[in-house]
Amino acid sequence: MNSIIDAAMSRTRTVMTFVVMTVLAGLYAYISIPKEAYPDIQFPFVFISLPYPGISPEDAERLLVKPMETRLRTIEGLKEMQTYGAQDHGGIFLEFDINMEMDAVLQKVREEVDIARAEIPQDAEEPIVVEMNAGERPILIATIFGELPERTLYRIAREAKDALEAIPSVMAANLVGAREELLEVIIDPAKLETYAISQRDLINAVNLNNRVVPAGQLDNGFGSFGIKVPGLFESASDVYNLAIKAEGDGVVVLSDVADIRRTFKDRSSYASVNTHRAYGLQISKRVGENIIETTEEVRRVLAVLQESWPDTVKVEYQWDSSRRISDELSALHSSVTTAIILVMVIVVGALGIRSGLLVGFAIPSSFMLGFLMLYALGFTVNTMVMFGLVLAVGILVDGAIVVVEYADRKMAEGLDKKDAFSLAGKRMFWPITSSTLTTLAAFFPMLFWPDIVGKFMSYLPYTLIFVLIASLLVALIYLPVLGGIFGKAEARGGSNIAALASGGQGDITALSGFSGIYARFVDRSIRTPGRYIAISLAVIFVIFFAFRMSLMSGRTQIEFFVSGDPQQATIDIAARGNYSALEKYKLVHEVEEIVVQVPGVASTFTESNGGGGGRGFSDGPDDTPGKIGNIFIELTDYRDRRHGREVIADIRERVSVLAGLDIKVSEIEDGPPTGKDVQIELRSHYPELLTPLVAKISDHIKNDMPDLIELADNRPLPGIEYEIIVDRQQAGRFGADIATIGSYVQLITNGILIGKYRPDDAIDEVDIRARFPFESRSLDQLDQLRIRTPQGQVPITNFVKIVPVQKVDRVQRVDSKRMMYVSANAKVGVNVAQQVAALGKWIENDVNVDPRVDLTFRGAAEDSDATANFLPKAGLASLVLMALILLTQFNSFYHSALILSSVVLSTAGVMLGLVVTGQMFSLIMTGVGIVALAGIVVNNNIVLIDTFQRFMKDGYEIHQAIVQTATQRLRPILLTTTTTIFGLLPMAIGMTVDFGGRDITFGNPSTMKWVQLSTTV
């Protein structure tokens, strides 16, 4: 390795050129690399939608879901399969092992779905297979509203949708609150009877006359001509004049028996922004694209379009993730800058200006090399990466400090600057390399963190690994070369060390100042080592015992991820009863009018719907039975309002006065998705066993666990639907069948789909549906409905009975078993782990769970258990890797164990801090901090033991070697420790410095989530 340093020192111009090139390349990489709020991780999820208009939830389970389950459960790597049957469709959610190659998985899923397609009803629509990823989440909601006719506003919204989806970085712009166009054929029942026309006649007439016939080529030897018979409908008049039936010399056309009009489908949902009816465009970006640039382009495109729209059309924006990521990146940039300034002040104060600047050069150069590696490997810059840089600021200068401090000391002893830096690089090569490798060893096992949480957190160790590798290159190659050119001896501390060296075998009386005091303390303490070891062990025992008692008393609480100041929230609204779409909107609108008046609420975006569209799968179902709508809430800037939880509590209190509505207000989680704090999932092949068990658990939580709120379960709510029971034998006597009966019933509901057409002014195909007039569409008409049979017009009541039955919103299954769940959140400040443990104990002791029922705690509790299991294993793996590195470096079990003992002491320090401050113990942030700390704290000991071994080889007596080592390494150890502390200090106290606005703030939500990890280190 000495030859590498000698080569670098002899070719300074080459090294300097390489330094400039890497810094510039890293700067370009940072400018070009995509920026986003959270890691754009690939979820191991595939969703299969099985549309079948008109099908009931029970039939969707039986006819759509079960045949698919049989094929899909055989796919390799399948971890869990959740399915459901709902009105008009079925859904299947597949979760695979996180390490599976998703492109191959997706291909295999499509193959199995194609095979199973033959086993589901032929008139069902084609299954839709989609891969789910973080990019599906909207980055921006653009709302369009104004006082215009619906068709005009719809055309404007569709124009905007198409323009936005033409942006290369935009994956989709989903239109919310819009109705699809429809060509409605309003049939006169009396005329249909008069002309003896059946619904089958209508369908055949449309299908046989709405097609293109490629008639082929005509070649007569004198030329070749293409022949075609155009027959597609192009306008409503084509349908209006369609011949249905011949009557003698006359022809009955569709307009003779029906009124035909271009309209919209019946409204099933509404959207509004800040109580104004609107169309919403939920915009999601493609994976790997820059969220800030994408949002800016979306705003630009809409601004250009708006110039051509009527003045009454307004555009507003909600849920702007680019603003949040800009704020978070700005806050983290500020933290990085503040950390660099603090570190530089300490280093310059200790080593002098020139040496301090040499150490400081390690920060930007290491960062730029790290960005270059991130860019080359296709990573994005997000909050995890930025915090990795904050954490790295105080660590990456350790090697530089050791090199520069050693060279300073040698120059103080009279060595030439080039020789001093060359000697520093060679002498400290292995200690610095080992120190860096042990730090990397602490973070390396985190790369194998399983599940989504691990993928989310992996950006932190990746960033640190890249930056620390870069810092190793900077400390051992760049700095010796730069020091050989720009270095200068600094009269700081070198005299003390020279005095100690001149005193033979360590004359501590020659030392003055703090170094002398420290040296004499070490000299005294090592004469009675047993006493100091006993005191240390006793202190460690007391700390761990106090921490355990603090946990048991609830003073120190455990949480999965950091609960900061929420900036966004959602409201799910459910109601009992058979409400129309307009009635649902009015109820949801009533909630929205209350919410917009709450101080601290900036804007709302509301959807009212049929309550069955949400997937809600990643951590268990999150759809609420009877759901009629939801409201997305953005809070005002944290500096201009109360704490977000107080705002949410205020909303919860104000909407609680609305009787008859089940309203749940939830903050939007930061970090990896976890679901509710408490989620109990019950599965069984015997559905009748689940409902009473769910009821018992829900009642216990509601009545006996006041610290749990937002209780929910998926028991069916009271509601009515009508079941038409057909007497098949009686129907057969009249020559009627189920298909015919069903088609006639459709005439008084949503109508019969008799065809499609594509007019020139429409973007998508438009359905042609036949139905009775509005006044003829009621339950009373079912009794009066007459069906055309071979025996003439027959009343449907001759063979049909209409029975009201319990309405079923959704049937859910997990791994082919029927599933029900109970979920709840804990109040702020409540120990979730204790609540889960208490609930589990009650179920075990007081609930007689049938052995045929599988009961599992899911959601945050499941993720917490997984994290709690992984982090100790990661810590142990880190210790093993560090031990191997240390054994290789020192070839001594004793010295390796001595170095690793610092891990126990550092962990005790963390526990003491938690006990004293009463801070939350975050399983992710505090746990990662403890594991990371293990790699950081051994660095000083490595250099300490390396120096001690060198003194022993030089013939020093052991006692004097210890004093000499401790005194000589005092300054670099204090420096490296202090720089690490001050590098994280702004984040630990939640301080954000706005250098441009010359403002200092505390409590920025963007930085508060990192407090636990920062204070741990």
Side-chain angles (χ1 to χ4, degrees):
M1 299 302 173
N2 290 348
S3 59
I4 296 176
I5 296 175
D6 287 336
M9 298 296 291
S10 62
R11 294 168 179 82
T12 55
R13 289 178 178 82
T14 302
V15 174
M16 291 295 294
T17 303
F18 191 74
V19 169
V20 173
M21 289 175 60
T22 53
V23 170
L24 292 177
L27 185 61
Y28 169 80
Y30 176 70
I31 295 172
S32 305
I33 201 167
K35 315 294 190 303
E36 57 191 7
Y38 299 111
D40 216 348
I41 59 178
Q42 185 179 44
F43 293 159
F45 302 145
V46 177
F47 180 70
I48 304 162
S49 178
L50 303 167
Y52 192 171
I55 197 169
S56 68
E58 297 95 331
D59 288 339
E61 177 193 28
R62 181 168 54 89
L63 300 177
L64 302 178
V65 168
K66 286 185 176 179
M68 287 286 175
E69 284 181 344
T70 304
R71 296 292 317 178
L72 295 171
R73 70 165 60 104
T74 62
I75 298 177
E76 182 183 359
L78 181 63
K79 186 176 178 181
E80 185 175 82
M81 175 165 54
Q82 298 193 33
T83 60
Y84 68 86
Q87 187 68 38
D88 298 327
H89 71 286
I92 301 174
F93 175 85
L94 306 176
E95 180 180 359
F96 292 89
D97 184 271
I98 194 72
N99 298 313
M100 294 290 292
E101 176 54 52
M102 287 309 295
D103 290 338
V105 166
L106 200 60
Q107 180 62 32
K108 183 63 177 175
V109 170
R110 289 197 172 106
E111 291 174 2
E112 295 297 336
V113 168
D114 288 341
I115 295 171
R117 177 69 177 87
E119 301 177 28
I120 66 176
Q122 293 302 307
D123 50 349
E125 296 182 13
E126 283 296 317
I128 302 169
V129 181
V130 294
E131 180 186 3
M132 295 170 61
N133 56 60
E136 287 186 338
R137 293 177 295 192
I139 62 169
L140 179 69
I141 299 176
T143 50
I144 300 172
F145 60 98
E147 298 298 327
L148 286 175
E150 182 179 8
R151 184 173 297 281
T152 304
L153 199 58
Y154 175 74
R155 178 185 57 78
I156 288 173
R158 281 306 307 249
E159 178 187 0
K161 171 183 169 67
D162 294 337
L164 294 179
E165 289 183 338
I167 299 174
S169 58
V170 171
M171 183 173 71
N174 296 321
L175 188 57
V176 179
R179 296 192 286 170
E180 294 182 23
E181 287 197 87
L182 175 71
L183 187 65
E184 192 173 48
V185 180
I186 303 297
I187 297 171
D188 187 328
K191 291 182 179 179
L192 208 62
E193 257 186 67
T194 301
Y195 289 110
I197 296 173
S198 69
Q199 51 85 21
R200 179 56 54 193
D201 295 332
L202 292 175
I203 295 174
N204 289 339
V206 172
N207 286 339
L208 295 175
N209 289 281
N210 185 31
R211 59 181 60 187
V212 172
V213 181
Q217 292 285 122
L218 177 63
D219 188 341
N220 58 9
F222 298 98
S224 179
F225 306 93
I227 307 297
K228 66 177 182 178
V229 183
L232 288 177
F233 296 149
E234 296 181 2
S235 65
S237 62
D238 293 337
V239 182
Y240 192 82
N241 298 314
L242 181 65
I244 301 297
K245 187 177 182 179
E247 288 284 348
D249 294 334
V251 176
V252 180
V253 297
L254 192 55
S255 59
D256 291 332
V257 297
D259 180 20
I260 302 168
R261 60 183 183 180
R262 182 95 169 265
T263 182
F264 292 93
K265 292 183 179 179
D266 291 343
R267 185 175 287 281
S268 61
S269 65
Y270 292 83
S272 63
V273 55
N274 298 326
T275 72
H276 300 290
R277 288 269 294 275
Y279 289 132
L281 287 165
Q282 296 179 339
I283 300 148
S284 55
K285 71 176 185 67
R286 298 186 183 278
V287 175
E289 295 291 343
N290 191 311
I291 191 172
I292 297 174
E293 293 176 359
T294 300
T295 303
E296 288 175 352
E297 182 64 12
V298 165
R299 287 176 178 266
R300 188 194 67 78
V301 168
L302 287 178
V304 172
L305 287 175
Q306 194 173 5
E307 293 176 0
S308 63
W309 294 342
D311 294 338
T312 55
V313 177
K314 298 179 181 179
V315 179
E316 289 189 4
Y317 299 95
Q318 286 79 34
W319 220 254
D320 190 346
S321 298
S322 69
R323 185 180 305 164
R324 190 168 72 251
I325 181 59
S326 295
D327 291 343
E328 293 197 1
L329 290 178
S330 175
L332 288 168
H333 279 134
S334 165
S335 297
V336 171
T337 305
T338 308
I340 290 173
I341 292 172
L342 290 173
V343 168
M344 288 302 301
V345 168
I346 293 167
V347 171
V348 169
L351 300 177
I353 294 178
R354 191 168 299 204
S355 296
L357 291 176
L358 283 174
V359 172
F361 171 76
I363 299 174
S365 56
S366 298
F367 279 179
M368 292 304 106
L369 278 171
F371 281 126
L372 194 57
M373 296 182 207
L374 289 169
Y375 181 73
L377 293 175
F379 283 75
T380 60
V381 168
N382 50 67
T383 53
M384 298 302 295
V385 169
M386 291 305 299
F387 181 75
L389 298 180
V390 175
L391 185 57
V393 168
I395 302 172
L396 63 83
V397 295
D398 287 3
I401 287 173
V402 170
V403 168
V404 172
E405 193 275 339
Y406 188 91
D408 261 8
R409 187 152 41 82
K410 291 301 176 184
M411 286 188 289
E413 294 173 3
L415 205 62
D416 173 74
K417 62 182 179 180
K418 187 171 183 180
D419 293 335
F421 275 95
S422 176
L423 180 61
K426 295 174 183 176
R427 175 67 193 83
M428 292 299 168
F429 186 93
W430 284 116
I432 292 174
T433 301
S434 296
S435 299
T436 305
L437 289 178
T438 53
T439 306
L440 296 180
F443 293 104
F444 182 72
M446 292 185 197
L447 300 181
F448 301 94
W449 197 333
D451 300 326
I452 295 174
V453 173
K455 292 293 183 183
F456 184 89
M457 295 298 297
S458 65
Y459 278 69
L460 178 63
Y462 272 122
T463 302
L464 285 163
I465 287 170
F466 293 155
V467 171
L468 290 176
I469 290 173
S471 73
L472 187 62
L473 175 66
V474 171
L476 297 178
I477 303 297
Y478 288 5
L479 279 185
V481 172
L482 291 171
I485 299 173
F486 303 108
K488 181 181 179 182
E490 303 277 359
R492 293 173 180 267
S495 57
N496 258 340
I497 303 301
L500 180 63
S502 64
Q505 295 270 320
D507 184 6
I508 60 175
T509 59
L511 294 176
S512 60
F514 181 73
S515 297
I517 296 172
Y518 173 69
R520 286 184 283 276
F521 169 77
V522 172
D523 180 62
R524 288 195 305 272
S525 62
I526 60 177
R527 297 184 187 278
T528 54
R531 176 171 43 173
Y532 286 92
I533 292 174
I535 292 172
S536 301
L537 292 175
V539 169
I540 292 171
F541 175 80
V542 169
I543 290 173
F544 276 96
F545 180 79
F547 178 72
R548 177 177 174 81
M549 296 304 295
S550 183
L551 280 178
M552 294 177 65
S553 66
R555 186 175 187 274
T556 300
Q557 297 183 10
I558 298 176
E559 61 182 351
F560 177 62
F561 199 73
V562 179
S563 299
D565 185 352
Q567 302 177 70
Q568 298 169 325
T570 60
I571 301 178
D572 289 333
I573 305 162
R576 302 184 179 195
N578 293 71
Y579 292 103
S580 68
L582 182 59
E583 289 173 321
K584 291 175 183 176
Y585 170 69
K586 288 179 178 178
L587 291 172
V588 174
H589 184 68
E590 191 176 353
V591 179
E592 184 184 22
E593 286 184 321
I594 294 175
V595 172
V596 295
Q597 297 174 17
V598 176
V601 172
S603 65
T604 61
F605 177 74
T606 302
E607 295 179 72
S608 66
N609 50 53
R615 284 192 296 257
F617 275 112
S618 62
D619 289 274
D622 63 359
D623 4 47
T624 304
K627 183 176 175 181
I628 62 172
N630 47 270
I631 303 175
F632 300 92
I633 303 169
E634 257 191 311
L635 304 184
T636 54
D637 188 272
Y638 75 98
R639 287 165 289 196
D640 303 325
R641 58 165 166 83
R642 301 165 287 172
H643 193 282
R645 286 206 183 83
E646 294 180 21
V647 178
I648 292 172
D650 193 358
I651 294 172
R652 191 177 288 127
E653 182 179 353
R654 294 193 187 202
V655 299
S656 65
V657 300
L658 297 175
L661 295 180
D662 183 10
I663 303 173
K664 293 181 173 59
V665 187
S666 307
E667 63 183 75
I668 296 297
E669 298 174 334
D670 276 334
T674 60
K676 286 192 174 181
D677 295 330
V678 179
Q679 287 186 26
I680 303 173
E681 186 177 275
L682 302 99
R683 312 179 199 173
S684 179
H685 287 300
Y686 305 91
E688 65 277 6
L689 300 175
L690 299 178
T691 301
L693 193 54
V694 167
K696 189 170 185 178
I697 295 173
S698 293
D699 290 343
H700 174 72
I701 294 175
K702 181 179 180 179
N703 299 324
D704 301 323
M705 303 188 74
D707 290 332
L708 294 182
I709 58 175
E710 297 174 356
L711 176 66
D713 61 63
N714 61 339
R715 286 176 292 170
L717 294 175
I720 295 175
E721 60 186 6
Y722 289 91
E723 191 172 283
I724 297 177
I725 300 174
V726 180
D727 186 333
R728 298 173 188 268
Q729 185 176 1
Q730 189 69 10
R733 289 175 183 170
F734 290 97
D737 54 57
I738 297 293
T740 303
I741 295 169
S743 298
Y744 272 87
V745 171
Q746 284 180 311
L747 289 172
I748 66 169
T749 56
N750 296 331
I752 306 170
L753 179 64
I754 60 176
K756 294 176 182 285
Y757 84 116
R758 189 185 294 272
D760 291 337
D761 61 342
I763 298 168
D764 301 319
E765 277 192 320
V766 176
D767 288 352
I768 306 171
R769 285 190 175 270
R771 65 200 303 197
F772 285 161
F774 180 78
E775 61 273 11
S776 298
R777 298 198 296 267
S778 66
L779 287 172
D780 294 340
Q781 289 298 316
L782 277 174
D783 292 332
Q784 302 174 22
L785 197 62
R786 301 170 68 87
I787 295 179
R788 185 186 174 206
T789 70
Q791 298 182 27
Q793 299 284 351
V794 178
I796 194 173
T797 52
N798 285 4
F799 41 79
V800 161
K801 184 166 62 173
I802 303 169
V803 180
V805 296
Q806 168 70 45
K807 180 182 178 182
V808 177
D809 286 325
R810 175 171 293 208
V811 176
Q812 293 177 286
R813 296 159 61 84
V814 173
D815 292 338
S816 302
K817 293 181 180 180
R818 188 70 68 85
M819 183 276 291
M820 296 185 76
Y821 70 88
V822 181
S823 64
N825 278 325
K827 291 180 179 178
V828 177
V830 172
N831 191 316
V832 176
Q834 287 183 353
Q835 295 294 313
V836 171
L839 183 57
K841 186 177 180 180
W842 174 80
I843 291 173
E844 182 180 352
N845 296 332
D846 299 344
V847 180
N848 184 22
V849 180
D850 193 293
R852 293 172 293 177
V853 175
D854 299 329
L855 189 148
T856 310
F857 280 88
R858 304 293 300 270
E862 184 181 38
D863 293 330
S864 296
D865 290 343
T867 300
N869 289 331
F870 170 75
L871 286 175
K873 295 176 183 176
L876 181 60
S878 299
L879 290 175
V880 170
L881 289 174
M882 286 188 278
L884 291 174
I885 294 168
L886 295 174
L887 282 172
T888 305
Q889 166 72 9
F890 298 112
N891 195 29
S892 168
F893 286 107
Y894 172 70
H895 284 159
S896 300
L898 195 61
I899 292 172
L900 291 177
S901 68
S902 60
V903 174
V904 178
L905 292 166
S906 69
T907 305
V910 175
M911 302 307 173
L912 178 62
L914 291 172
V915 171
V916 171
T917 63
Q919 192 180 93
M920 282 275 192
F921 185 99
S922 167
L923 283 174
I924 288 185
M925 290 303 186
T926 309
V928 168
I930 290 173
V931 174
L933 194 57
I936 297 171
V937 297
V938 300
N939 292 349
N940 290 325
N941 292 359
I942 289 174
V943 178
L944 198 71
I945 297 298
D946 178 78
T947 304
F948 170 76
Q949 287 188 340
R950 180 169 58 85
F951 280 132
M952 292 298 293
K953 288 179 182 177
D954 290 345
Y956 279 63
E957 185 267 326
I958 187 169
H959 184 102
Q960 294 300 329
I962 291 173
V963 175
Q964 182 94 344
T965 299
T967 308
Q968 189 180 101
R969 304 314 308 161
L970 175 62
R971 185 168 65 155
I973 285 175
L974 288 177
L975 269 177
T976 55
T977 302
T978 307
T979 53
T980 302
I981 290 172
F982 275 83
L984 289 170
L985 187 61
M987 196 72 78
I989 61 177
M991 182 179 75
T992 304
V993 181
D994 181 0
F995 291 94
R998 292 176 294 177
D999 185 30
I1000 299 177
T1001 58
F1002 291 87
N1004 189 326
S1006 301
T1007 57
M1008 291 305 292
K1009 70 184 69 161
W1010 307 106
V1011 168
Q1012 274 96 332
L1013 205 159
S1014 302
T1015 52
T1016 295
V1017 178

